[in-house]
Amino acid sequence: MLVYLLLFLTSPVMANNHANGELAQNIQLAHQLKLWQKTEWLNLIHYQPENSRGKYLSQVDDPRFFLAPDGKQNPENELIATLKALYSNRIDSPDDHAQCRFIARYHWLIQQFSNHLKQAPSVNCPSYNEWRKNVPEHKVTLIFPAYHLNSPSSMFGHTLLRIDPDNLEQNSSWLSMAVNFGANIEASDNSILFAIKGLAGGYHGNFIVTPYYKKIKEYNRQENRDIWEYPLNLTPQETRRIVLHLWELKGINFDYYFFDENCSYRLLELLEVARPSLELKQQFGLTAIPVDTVRAIEQANLIESIDYRPSQYTSINYLLRQLTPQQQALVHHLSQDASEIDRSLFRQQDKSTQMIMLDTAYRYLRFQQNDQGRSEGNARTSFQLLQEINKAADFNAPQPAYEAYQQPEKGHLSKRLSLAAGEQFEQSFVDIKFRMSFHSLEDNINGFLEGAQINLGSLSFRATEDEFQLQNLDVIDIFSLTPRNDFFQPLSWKVYTGLEQQLINGTERLTGHVTGGAGVTYETWQHGYFYALMTARLEANSQFKRSVEVAMGFSSGLLHHATWGTTHLSVSGESFANDEYRQRIEFITNIPVSRNHALGFKLRRQRQPGILFGEAQLNYHYFFH
């Protein structure tokens, strides 16, 4: 009996000695193998090399993520501190134990040692186990909600991941989980404040795992954005590494920067955790624009296929294009009064056209409910239309599909360098232009929205026989031309600000300005748009009596996209409070030579007090990453 008592009292001490011995052995082996230099470890802690002398800095900006006091800068100390924490016997609160908090590190370290950390204590992780019940680990799909100009945070598009179960073919992808990285935006922040803080790193960013159907509702239905889905060829084991690491990142803060350390960049880090041989984020320096990261994933041969999920707005407009103007008008009547179904004008249509008209009217009512909220009249008409649809056993209406040229990743690259040769005032000049990002109205439309211009950080220098000067510095240049019809009445708008040369008193002067406007756009023919906007301008000009002058103006034009290129004819002007005025007419044509090369021609005439002058130039555009 005494022997059993002694064994009972001494067994914890012996077990502890065994654990301490194994820990010491593993620490020694870690030093010998230099495990902290392995890519897998560096990826798990989000280390980036600071210089060529082996110094590292983690991009995680939350002290809760590190176990060593200098863990943010020291991969070696962080690994040793993690090993020690994994062997800790303090398990009063299991969820706080290192085996639960840093479960991806734990699983990786188990694989690095032949003893598999067998003497470490066995810890149950209740919170992690509960979380894992709702998070699959079989398949990863990259999601790209397309561009949304009316949201400053999403004007470049967005990327997120979807984690799918192994029975996805039997179950809807709505049951999958979405992995999103985003800024923690304060409710009181407006769009301008968001842009400023987003550029300056004024927000923390976090990973959030949420049901995918919520993201479909947010992007596809509320914001009317098409969604492109790219299933990736990651294995279930690689997918599991992402899931384990997401638990470690739950609630952990990163700095958020609009252009580089953003949603897309962080997702690339997750993919490198899944497959350490990938080198995705190294190619992104100044910017990490979402569509560029989709291209990087495509170049890494990760994409298996493409699935397209059109928005309600896209689907309705696609169906409307299948109908004549008279039939479109009838659809509008159907959406207001379902009894139109029983009248001769509807009944005389062929069956396939009736199906399209019913489907369009029903979808339009659903769109209105999402946009304006549910009303009793809309709900009643929707139900009546749905009853009519269900009567047809073989009901079939065409669904929007995509052409290869529409794939976002097939568009031109985001940065642009241009060379121009031209003449103004009977004097020849050469322009050198650089644009940080990312698409102009006249650029190759493949992969982009028609009528959308988003340019940030454009710089132009002009050289003549006499001088070399800054011609333009556009900080922001956004133009949104969204056509109106009987069903949709969106507002078209533009805003641009920066520095530009203006002819004042016979001499070009560099002026600062903020210009904006709003108006309407109509699709007058297929791929042809007419727009008219009222504009306003604030201009800081050293030649004016007041430091800042106000002007009211207009901007109108025709934009046409053809298979060979784009043409744009515009007429615009502004009149200042000090009686200064400018009126101009401009013609631009752009001819893509290949995906990332284009030739252009620009002709401009401008009239202002006492002078009428013109400018002509030929352009070569090179797009790059």
Side-chain angles (χ1 to χ4, degrees):
M1 186 67 180
L2 182 60
V3 173
Y4 286 116
L5 180 61
L6 289 172
L7 286 173
F8 176 78
L9 293 174
T10 58
S11 58
V13 177
M14 294 173 62
N16 192 50
N17 288 337
H18 285 308
N20 289 337
E22 184 179 276
L23 172 60
Q25 178 185 354
N26 287 340
I27 290 176
Q28 182 180 9
L29 187 59
H31 283 291
Q32 291 174 359
L33 299 176
K34 296 185 177 180
L35 290 181
W36 57 85
Q37 294 181 358
K38 285 186 173 288
T39 302
E40 294 91 333
W41 178 255
L42 298 175
N43 289 347
L44 280 172
I45 318 298
H46 297 259
Y47 286 118
Q48 288 292 307
E50 262 198 310
N51 54 45
S52 58
R53 293 177 292 179
K55 297 294 183 180
Y56 289 90
L57 181 68
S58 174
Q59 296 199 343
V60 179
D61 300 286
D62 194 323
R64 295 172 299 167
F65 189 69
F66 305 100
L67 291 168
D70 60 348
K72 184 176 174 66
Q73 301 88 14
N74 195 317
E76 178 182 358
N77 286 355
E78 184 64 20
L79 187 142
I80 301 305
T82 301
L83 268 175
K84 292 179 179 178
L86 295 176
Y87 279 88
S88 172
N89 284 313
R90 295 184 179 180
I91 52 176
D92 297 334
S93 178
D95 287 326
D96 293 332
H97 195 277
Q99 290 184 25
C100 300
R101 288 177 54 206
F102 302 110
I103 197 160
R105 301 189 201 182
Y106 178 43
H107 280 259
W108 181 75
L109 286 168
I110 286 175
Q111 298 169 7
Q112 306 311 305
F113 302 101
S114 59
N115 54 45
H116 302 300
L117 281 62
K118 289 180 180 177
Q119 297 301 322
S122 178
V123 182
N124 184 45
C125 305
S127 295
Y128 167 75
N129 293 332
E130 186 64 28
W131 179 78
R132 280 304 306 276
K133 291 178 181 178
N134 299 315
V135 182
E137 59 173 30
H138 184 73
K139 190 78 175 173
V140 175
T141 299
L142 175 70
I143 308 297
F144 179 75
Y147 317 109
H148 181 48
L149 284 182
N150 291 325
S151 171
S153 63
S154 302
M155 63 176 65
F156 289 100
H158 183 53
T159 52
L160 60 151
L161 296 180
R162 191 182 74 208
I163 309 295
D164 299 322
D166 59 357
N167 57 348
L168 181 63
E169 294 182 359
Q170 288 75 36
N171 294 317
S172 168
S173 60
W174 286 42
L175 302 179
S176 301
M177 300 298 286
V179 179
N180 187 67
F181 180 84
N184 290 326
I185 304 171
E186 298 177 18
S188 59
D189 288 357
N190 57 35
S191 297
I192 295 175
L193 189 58
F194 169 80
I196 294 172
K197 293 174 71 173
L199 290 170
Y203 292 112
H204 285 307
N206 296 111
F207 282 98
I208 296 175
V209 180
T210 188
Y212 183 53
Y213 73 83
K214 292 184 178 181
K215 290 299 176 181
I216 293 177
K217 182 178 179 181
E218 176 184 351
Y219 297 126
N220 215 213
R221 298 192 172 185
Q222 294 176 355
E223 296 182 355
N224 294 306
R225 299 164 67 179
D226 297 342
I227 296 177
W228 297 82
E229 302 174 343
Y230 303 87
L232 306 182
N233 58 18
L234 296 183
T235 67
Q237 181 182 7
E238 290 170 331
T239 303
R240 185 168 186 264
R241 290 175 190 155
I242 290 179
V243 174
L244 293 176
H245 190 49
L246 284 170
W247 173 257
E248 296 183 334
L249 298 176
K250 188 177 181 182
I252 296 297
N253 292 326
F254 292 77
D255 283 343
Y256 180 91
Y257 290 90
F258 192 63
F259 279 123
D260 51 7
E261 296 183 32
N262 54 25
C263 61
S264 297
Y265 186 84
R266 295 293 171 223
L267 294 185
L268 296 181
E269 290 183 319
L270 284 185
L271 294 177
E272 290 182 348
V273 166
R275 186 176 292 176
S277 61
L278 294 172
E279 294 183 355
L280 299 172
K281 63 181 184 293
Q282 286 81 349
Q283 58 187 285
F284 296 96
L286 291 175
T287 60
I289 294 174
V291 71
D292 285 337
T293 60
V294 176
R295 295 187 185 112
I297 290 169
E298 180 191 36
Q299 291 167 5
N301 297 317
L302 285 170
I303 295 176
E304 288 185 334
S305 59
I306 300 175
D307 297 319
Y308 175 58
R309 190 185 293 271
S311 67
Q312 288 182 309
Y313 177 83
T314 297
S315 298
I316 294 168
N317 278 313
Y318 172 80
L319 291 170
L320 288 171
R321 291 190 188 98
Q322 317 303 312
L323 304 172
T324 66
Q326 184 186 38
Q327 291 167 344
Q328 292 179 12
L330 184 53
V331 168
H332 200 269
H333 292 315
L334 277 172
S335 68
Q336 297 172 328
D337 182 3
S339 66
E340 293 284 342
I341 295 171
D342 299 320
R343 295 179 182 167
S344 60
L345 189 58
F346 178 81
R347 290 300 177 186
Q348 71 187 19
Q349 309 294 328
D350 62 73
K351 286 295 183 182
S352 62
T353 301
Q354 288 182 11
M355 291 180 185
I356 294 174
M357 295 170 70
L358 287 170
D359 195 26
T360 307
Y362 177 73
R363 287 174 181 267
Y364 180 60
L365 286 173
R366 299 290 295 176
F367 174 88
Q368 286 185 315
Q369 289 180 15
N370 289 333
D371 188 48
Q372 303 169 8
R374 188 179 185 276
S375 69
E376 184 177 341
N378 271 11
R380 181 173 56 253
T381 305
S382 292
F383 180 71
Q384 291 171 333
L385 291 172
L386 187 59
Q387 281 182 313
E388 190 69 22
I389 289 172
N390 289 335
K391 287 180 183 178
D394 57 346
F395 185 87
N396 184 33
Q399 300 298 316
Y402 68 89
E403 300 288 342
Y405 74 88
Q406 294 175 297
Q407 295 172 212
E409 72 277 11
K410 301 300 184 184
H412 63 72
L413 298 181
S414 298
K415 296 182 179 66
R416 190 180 77 180
L417 180 66
S418 302
L419 298 176
E423 185 175 281
Q424 186 184 51
F425 304 120
E426 299 182 352
Q427 184 179 39
S428 298
F429 65 81
V430 173
D431 282 356
I432 302 173
K433 309 172 187 178
F434 170 75
R435 186 183 70 194
M436 181 66 71
S437 62
F438 104 114
H439 180 73
S440 296
L441 288 176
E442 302 83 16
D443 286 339
N444 189 347
I445 199 63
N446 290 358
F448 291 89
L449 293 176
E450 292 187 6
Q453 174 170 293
I454 312 170
N455 290 329
L456 300 180
S458 299
L459 191 65
S460 175
F461 291 95
R462 174 163 294 182
T464 65
E465 292 181 358
D466 303 321
E467 61 183 350
F468 181 80
Q469 67 180 20
L470 174 65
Q471 193 71 11
N472 289 86
L473 172 59
D474 294 332
V475 180
I476 297 173
D477 182 6
I478 303 174
F479 206 161
S480 174
L481 299 178
T482 309
R484 300 164 68 94
N485 54 36
D486 290 339
F487 296 83
F488 305 105
Q489 291 82 41
L491 194 67
S492 293
W493 58 277
K494 67 186 299 184
V495 59
Y496 70 106
T497 181
L499 304 174
E500 61 185 18
Q501 294 286 350
Q502 290 290 346
L503 185 66
I504 308 291
N505 299 327
T507 305
E508 283 196 324
R509 310 281 182 174
L510 193 63
T511 64
H513 73 97
V514 177
T515 305
V520 297
T521 300
Y522 295 95
E523 188 173 8
T524 50
W525 63 89
Q526 190 173 12
H527 306 300
Y529 304 92
F530 166 78
Y531 64 89
L533 287 76
M534 297 295 295
T535 62
R537 180 180 176 95
L538 294 176
E539 183 172 308
N541 193 321
S542 62
Q543 301 302 296
F544 290 162
K545 291 182 179 180
R546 287 189 288 265
S547 58
V548 177
E549 282 287 356
V550 180
M552 298 300 295
F554 69 97
S555 177
S556 182
L558 292 170
L559 179 70
H560 175 61
H561 299 293
T563 55
W564 54 267
T566 300
T567 55
H568 185 193
L569 175 66
S570 64
V571 179
S572 61
E574 54 270 344
S575 179
F576 290 85
N578 63 358
D579 296 328
E580 178 77 19
Y581 68 86
R582 302 182 192 121
Q583 299 167 349
R584 67 193 70 85
I585 182 170
E586 191 171 80
F587 175 77
I588 299 175
T589 185
N590 186 73
I591 304 172
V593 178
S594 64
R595 176 184 175 186
N596 292 310
H597 299 269
L599 298 176
F601 173 71
K602 178 179 178 181
L603 183 65
R604 180 178 182 178
R605 295 281 285 176
Q606 181 164 318
R607 186 169 74 91
Q608 53 195 71
I611 190 170
L612 173 67
F613 63 94
E615 175 184 312
Q617 60 178 266
L618 290 171
N619 294 275
Y620 163 70
H621 304 299
Y622 170 62
F623 300 86
F624 64 101
H625 171 63

